[in-house]
Amino acid sequence: MFWLLKGIFIANEAVDEARRSNKKLLLFKVDFEKAYYSVDLKYLNAVMVNMNFPMLWRKLISECVGTATASVLVNGSPTEEFPIERGLKQGDRLSPFLFLLAAEGFAAMMKAAVSNNLFQPYGVGRQGEVMLSHLQFADDTIIMGKKCWLNVRSIRAVLLLLEEVLGLKVNFSKSMLTGYNIPHTWLSDAASALNCRTGTIPFVYLGLSIGGDSRRLSFWKPVVDRITARLSSWHNRFLSFGGRLVLLKFVLSSLPVYFLSFFKAPTGIISYIESIFKRFFVWLGGGV
C-alpha cells in the first residue's frame, strides 16, 4: 500500500508543482495489452541473469513458469502438445513479482534515454532538482517529461522497442496523452503522432484522481457512485436488520477507505456519505 500511494503522491505533486510554477508538463498514460500474457519467458530469464540472481533460483523459476505445455482442439481432436514460451499465469501468486522483474526493462530503457539526452524528464523544484521520467506500479505506467517533440518521438520509440524485446504490446489507441499548461492543438498533434487519444486533468491513475481538487464535492463523485451502485444491487433484496448492519460495516464502509487513505474529504462529503449509510440502515425494503 505504501508504494501504491507513493506513486499517486508523486504524480499529484508533479501536477500541483506545474500548476504553481506555471510550467509545462507532458504526461503519457500507457495501456499495456494483456500485460501478463505477453511476457517473454526467455527475456525474463535474461533479466534475472543481469540482476545476478543465483542459478538455482533461476532454475526453480524456469521450472515453475517455463515447463507448461498446451494443446489445441481442432475439429474436436487435440493437437500435439507444444511448449508455452510466453505469458505469466493470472492468479498465480508468483506472477506479480515476476512481472515486476520483467518491467525493470522499461525502467532501464527510460534511464538510458534520459542519460543519452533522448528524453527530457520533468524537473520538480525551483531549480529542477528532482527529475521525473516515469512512474510505474506493476503494469500501471505514466511517462512524464517536458513539452517537446523529442519526448513524443522517444516515447513511441521506447514503447515499440519494449514490445520487441519484452513482448509487452502497448495499446496506443487506449493510451492517453495529456498535460498541464500545454495547448490543446499541440496535444492533438502529438496524440496523432502517437496514435493515441488525448485526455484532460484530472485523470485516474491507480484508482485515484491525479490533479483534482479534493476540496470540491465533484472530486468525490466516483466514491459516491461506487456506493450508490453497490446499493442499487441490493435494492430488491429482503435484508434483515442484522443483514443490513453487516453489509454496512464490512462492505459499504470499506468503499471510501482507499480514497480517504490519501485525500482529506471535506465535511460536506462525509455528511453526505453518512446520510446514505443511515438511509440504507433504516431501509425496510422501499429503496435508499
Side-chain angles (χ1 to χ4, degrees):
M1 178 63 77
F2 170 75
W3 294 108
L4 185 69
L5 295 179
K6 185 177 180 181
I8 299 168
F9 174 78
I10 293 174
N12 269 296
E13 283 297 306
V15 174
D16 189 57
E17 200 264 351
R19 182 185 296 115
R20 294 194 313 266
S21 304
N22 197 29
K23 295 164 63 176
K24 296 180 179 180
L25 169 62
L26 185 68
L27 296 162
F28 184 75
K29 186 179 179 183
V30 185
D31 183 88
F32 290 110
E33 183 177 321
K34 298 180 180 179
Y36 277 52
Y37 294 129
S38 57
V39 174
D40 190 305
L41 300 182
K42 293 181 180 179
Y43 168 79
L44 180 62
N45 183 69
V47 170
M48 290 190 290
V49 171
N50 288 325
M51 296 182 70
N52 297 320
F53 276 74
M55 183 181 296
L56 178 60
W57 174 265
R58 300 200 307 272
K59 185 177 180 181
L60 290 174
I61 295 299
S62 178
E63 290 291 327
C64 290
V65 301
T67 57
T69 59
S71 180
V72 180
L73 286 177
V74 179
N75 296 327
S77 301
T79 63
E80 293 185 3
E81 293 187 349
F82 54 88
I84 299 176
E85 299 180 353
R86 187 181 296 273
L88 300 172
K89 297 177 183 178
Q90 288 281 7
D92 190 334
R93 296 183 179 181
L94 189 61
S95 294
F97 300 101
L98 295 179
F99 184 83
L100 290 178
L101 293 177
E104 284 294 318
F106 170 76
M109 290 180 185
M110 288 301 301
K111 184 177 180 181
V114 172
S115 61
N116 288 283
N117 297 320
L118 298 176
F119 185 86
Q120 297 182 10
Y122 178 75
V124 178
R126 294 182 178 178
Q127 304 297 328
E129 298 88 352
V130 180
M131 307 301 291
L132 299 176
S133 61
H134 67 283
L135 294 173
Q136 192 172 24
F137 187 89
D139 59 333
D140 291 292
T141 303
I142 292 180
I143 301 175
M144 55 179 62
K146 297 179 180 179
K147 169 190 169 286
C148 62
W149 280 104
L150 173 65
N151 282 355
V152 174
R153 291 190 292 269
S154 295
I155 288 172
R156 185 168 182 82
V158 167
L159 293 177
L160 291 177
L161 180 61
L162 185 71
E163 182 177 333
E164 287 293 323
V165 176
L166 175 55
L168 275 180
K169 185 176 181 180
V170 178
N171 194 337
F172 281 97
S173 62
K174 291 185 178 180
S175 299
M176 182 190 73
L177 183 71
T178 186
Y180 202 84
N181 291 328
I182 298 178
H184 181 71
T185 53
W186 191 93
L187 274 179
S188 298
D189 292 341
S192 297
L194 291 170
N195 194 27
C196 69
R197 59 189 178 90
T198 59
T200 57
I201 293 177
F203 63 93
V204 177
Y205 175 62
L206 296 175
L208 292 181
S209 179
I210 303 298
D213 188 353
S214 61
R215 296 170 296 180
R216 296 180 177 271
L217 297 181
S218 58
F219 178 87
W220 296 88
K221 187 178 183 297
V223 180
V224 176
D225 289 344
R226 287 186 62 191
I227 294 173
T228 54
R230 185 61 61 90
L231 287 176
S232 65
S233 64
W234 300 334
H235 181 74
N236 294 322
R237 297 186 182 183
F238 296 97
L239 299 172
S240 64
F241 185 84
R244 293 197 301 275
L245 179 61
V246 171
L247 290 174
L248 176 63
K249 294 180 64 176
F250 296 101
V251 180
L252 288 182
S253 297
S254 63
L255 294 180
V257 169
Y258 184 47
F259 264 73
L260 293 172
S261 63
F262 188 83
F263 299 108
K264 183 179 179 180
T267 305
I269 199 66
I270 294 295
S271 301
Y272 182 67
I273 292 176
E274 287 180 346
S275 69
I276 295 177
F277 289 171
K278 290 176 182 177
R279 279 181 285 168
F280 170 71
F281 189 56
V282 299
W283 169 57
L284 296 176
V288 179

